[in-house]
Amino acid sequence: MPMSAVSYVARPADARSFWLGFAAYLVPTFPIAFVWHLVLFEQKYHALQIYRDEPVIAFGLGSMIIQGAIFSWLFPRVFTRGSGSILKDGLLYGLGAGLLSWSFTTLAVAAKNVMISVPDFVLLETAFTILQFAIVGPLIALAYRR
C-alpha cells in the first residue's frame, strides 16, 4: 500500500532526505533564475515584451517552494534505492523533471502569451531549464543517497 506524503516525511531519515532534496532544488534555483532572468538576459526578456517591468519576486519564490516540495517528494518514488549512481540518477531525474517543467514554463507560456518572438523566448527558457535541471537533478539525487 502506498505511503502518504505526510507519513513518508514523518519518518526521521525520510524527512531529512525530503528537506535536503527540497533545499537542493530551492537553494540553486532561486539565484540561477534571478540572475538569468533579471541580470544576464534582462534586456532580451524585456525586448520580448512578455513580462511586467517590476516582477513580483515573492510569487516566483512561492512557485519555487511548491516546485521544490513536489520534485523532492517525487524523487524516491521514481528512483528506488540502489537503482544507479547518484550522477546517473540525478541527470535522468533532471531530464524528466526538466521536461515536465519545460512543458508548462516554456511551451504553455509561449502558446498563451503575446510576445515579440516565440522562438527567442523558447530558446531562452529552454537553455535556462537545461541549466537549472542539470544542476538540481543531481543535487536532489545526492540528498536521497543511502
Side-chain angles (χ1 to χ4, degrees), residues 61-76:
L61 181 58
S63 172
M64 289 175 203
I65 289 169
I66 293 166
Q67 293 162 18
I70 291 169
F71 286 132
S72 181
W73 178 83
L74 192 58
F75 181 84

Side-chain angles (χ1 to χ4, degrees), residues 69-85:
I70 291 169
F71 286 132
S72 181
W73 178 83
L74 192 58
F75 181 84
R77 286 151 180 80
V78 174
F79 289 94
T80 58
R81 294 177 188 169
S83 63
S85 74

